[in-house]
Amino acid sequence: MLALALLYGLDGKNECRAVVVTTSKPNLKSAAACDAVSKFYAAGGFARVLPVGMPETGKDSESTPLLDAVAAKHDHGIKQLNDTADVAAVMRNALTAQVDGNSVIVVVGPLTNAASLVELAGTREWISKKAKALVFTDHIKEDVAAAKQVLKAWPGPLVFVPSDVSRDIQYPSSSIEKDFAYASKHPIVDAYKAYKSMPYDAPTGDMAAVLYAVREKEGYFRLSAAGTLSVDDGGSVKFAESADGKDRMLLPDPAQNERILKAYTELASAKPVVRQRFRPPVADEKKPEVKQPEAEKKP
Amino acid sequence: MFLRGVGTAVALPFLDSMIPAMATAAESKAPVRMAFVYVPNGIDMKNWNPETEGKLGQLPRILKPMQEFKDDVLLLGNLTHNGGRALLDGAGDHGRCCGGYLSGVQPRKTFVDIKAGVSCDQIVANKIGSATRFPSLEVGLEDARQAGDCDSGYSCAYTNNLSWRSETQPLPPVLDPRALFERLFGNGERLTPEAKARRDKFRRSVLDFVMEDTKKLQTGLGPTDKRKLDEYLSSIRAIELQLQKAESDNRQIDPGMDKPYGVPADFAEHFRLMTDMMTVAWQADLTRVTTFLVTREGTSRSYREIGIPDGHHPLTHHRNDPATIEKVTQINEYHVKQFAAWVAKLKAIKEGDGSLLDNTMLVYGAGLSDGNRHTHEDLPTMIVGKGGNNFKTGRRIVYRRETPMSNLFLTMMDRMGVHTEHFGDATGRLPGLDLA
């Protein structure tokens, strides 16, 4: 959830556009939670067009207290399966609308959905053309078959973010308790409260993938030499350096930890912004009602 | 089946008596027809989509004229044409949504070197078209301009055609009822076989001359001119094929109607004439594949006959003004009303154990859903007819969001006996359409 907050924080600063979000968990509450977070950050007026992608069936379909809490407490548009989209179709459609070589696919769960994408006929050409990289974190063991498929068939560069990159960086509970207080009802806070009893510091492995994907050149992390990634049957990722390889590993840089944590807390807790309209409003056009976060509403 | 007289042959519709007593089920099957009826500028979706899924009950306002035929209808929700979206190409939703409607591709933004995709009707026509006199029929009611800029840099070829023989060659619709009549049924004169042979020979010699002359031009042309010439030559080859077909098919069809004179001023009359002729063409098995572009995409046609002097397209950009939206709804209703009258005729024509409608899959739809915002998802899509007892009708099915419209067309091509693995942006076949 904090990875999503970080992504929307960067989006709010116009450093990226979150064009589509999918969940690998075939559970409507998981899709609803993604949609709720998206809607919360879109409350500043920026419409997100593409629906949440979700596999129809598969592993790990049970709900969790975190998903129950977010889906129950926050506005979303997912009531039934046909409110969601097929994962491969929606990701492919998102790619088709991007400038060549300008998108990054960030996976902070199992590679299930990336496998669906790469297996959809005609999609590898779109990936090659549009995606700069696939950045993924260490959730390989949750779907080893999908990981093998992706690492074998992905037509572009892969960047693996191992868990040791973030071992020494924890997201402070104090930030979750204070920095999100601009909204009386915040999906990120509700998610963390539901996960386990507060206060607790949260792991940041998934946030590292987002920060690297968007601020690749800012030097928060070190990058390995080129090579080739592979996965064994037990779900362990192997990396073999090779001059003609297209893959990389993200490596920790302890000297940057303080800077990274500062970026995490500032960006993830940033208040949704009201975006400037691309076109100036027409005088006689009825303005759509812009929904503001709770704290913005006047009594 | 023909009635042969002195030098004439009149085609009959598919009659029960044509089925031999001991015929197998396969032999007794009437042909399945596939047709697409396209209306422009989107639809007022609030008055199109029923509130619930499953068995159809009371239909929403725009579909009310179809109430009587609701058991023959499949209403599909959430089908999407991603290629209709801008995808970095900026304005021009009308050009894109129609130009790629039946091919599932995004047309190239140009009004010079046009490029879209082979439409599904033509994929089917290429495979099964040899069984009928006309592989396919393209019909329209409005504008057949093929050149110029019709939408923000998109060629009129995109807004004014549904059917594409190749990526670069659209098949313009026939607009004039008289021209359609003559194409389907000849000019009314009854020729002896000898006279017909003489005419065909003359036509062939003219074609040979044209072909020979054109080929001489091919050297020294630039790429655009060369493409145009290739298209021209392939059109001539298509005419040649039609001639060969006509030579081997001596039928002269009795359409059961007088030859029309020109284009009627009245929209409903024009619609009726064209659909009557399409009906006869299906009855006589002159073709099994038809596209009908009711009016061109982005049209600003007015509908004074129902008291709407404003242009259709400007009305759809209604800025949420209720009075303007009401006019759009009325136009949408008016179109469906004409369509329903056609459906009534198709249903009334007995064919085998059922009706002509039962052996047809007639898609009525648009390339835009909300014409005001130019949206390309949840496109209004209605299938009428059971497609040869293939579809379980009388239902509304809402698919998952972003489900490609191409999935429907891939499924329909299957039902026409034409199987292909890849089409447009299809991700697979549409589930749930079939009879259980």
Side-chain angles (χ1 to χ4, degrees), chain A residues 49-51 54 56 80-86 89-90 92-93 96-99 120-121 130 282 284, chain B residues 53 78 80 82 85 87-88 319-322 377 398-404 422 424-428:
Chain A
V49 178
L50 291 174
M54 186 188 86
E56 208 166 332
Q80 52 198 357
L81 184 66
N82 59 25
D83 294 324
T84 66
D86 171 75
V90 76
R92 186 267 316 267
N93 288 355
T96 60
Q98 307 312 308
V99 171
L120 177 62
K130 302 291 183 180
V282 179
D284 59 347
Chain B
E53 290 180 59
N78 269 349
T80 298
N82 188 50
R85 292 171 171 152
L87 309 183
L88 306 171
R319 297 174 181 238
N320 297 318
D321 170 48
E377 52 275 354
V398 180
Y399 290 97
R400 299 185 71 191
R401 293 177 67 188
E402 296 295 297
T403 300
H422 306 298
D425 63 346
T427 56

Side-chain angles (χ1 to χ4, degrees), chain B residues 39-44 94 297-301 303 308 310-321 323-332 335 368-375:
Chain B
V39 286
N41 300 332
I43 299 258
D44 172 17
H94 292 283
E297 181 54 61
T299 181
S300 288
R301 189 192 192 286
Y303 289 83
I308 299 175
D310 324 67
H312 186 184
H313 178 231
L315 283 175
T316 56
H317 292 291
H318 45 63
R319 297 174 181 238
N320 297 318
D321 170 48
T324 313
I325 294 173
E326 172 59 24
K327 288 179 182 175
V328 173
T329 313
Q330 284 179 20
I331 293 171
N332 297 157
H335 286 157
L368 290 173
S369 41
D370 182 341
N372 182 36
R373 293 187 299 128
H374 286 184
T375 50

Side-chain angles (χ1 to χ4, degrees), chain A residues 41-205:
Chain A
Y41 282 96
F46 183 69
R48 296 179 198 280
V49 178
L50 291 174
V52 175
M54 186 188 86
E56 208 166 332
T57 54
K59 301 175 189 174
D60 191 26
S61 61
E62 298 77 25
S63 189
T64 64
L66 184 156
L67 297 176
D68 290 345
V70 179
K73 291 181 184 173
H74 295 272
D75 179 35
H76 62 82
I78 311 285
K79 293 180 180 59
Q80 52 198 357
L81 184 66
N82 59 25
D83 294 324
T84 66
D86 171 75
V87 163
V90 76
M91 288 173 82
R92 186 267 316 267
N93 288 355
L95 279 176
T96 60
Q98 307 312 308
V99 171
D100 290 356
N102 197 45
S103 49
V104 181
I105 296 160
V106 182
V107 180
V108 293
L111 285 161
T112 314
N113 293 352
S116 299
L117 178 68
V118 82
E119 287 308 310
L120 177 62
T123 300
R124 289 182 200 179
E125 289 77 8
W126 285 114
I127 295 170
S128 299
K129 193 174 177 193
K130 302 291 183 180
K132 194 157 59 174
L134 169 74
V135 180
F136 63 102
T137 52
D138 198 357
H139 295 270
I140 304 300
K141 289 187 173 67
E142 293 168 39
D143 192 343
V144 176
K148 284 187 165 187
Q149 205 171 356
V150 170
L151 268 53
K152 188 178 163 196
W154 193 263
L158 299 164
V159 179
F160 177 53
V161 184
S163 45
D164 62 352
V165 165
S166 305
R167 189 176 296 137
D168 299 330
I169 309 171
Q170 300 286 306
Y171 195 92
S173 59
S174 57
S175 171
I176 294 171
E177 286 178 317
K178 289 178 198 160
D179 298 343
F180 295 80
Y182 60 83
S184 60
K185 213 171 77 170
H186 201 299
I188 304 299
V189 175
D190 287 334
Y192 273 77
K193 281 182 178 169
Y195 185 65
K196 62 182 178 184
S197 303
M198 295 286 282
Y200 66 96
D201 293 344
T204 60

Side-chain angles (χ1 to χ4, degrees), chain A residues 259-281:
Chain A
R259 194 173 150 238
I260 291 170
L261 190 57
K262 187 168 183 287
Y264 286 164
T265 49
E266 284 179 3
L267 290 163
S269 65
K271 200 161 77 168
V273 291
V274 177
R275 286 186 185 278
Q276 201 67 32
R277 281 176 63 111
F278 178 66
R279 284 182 292 191

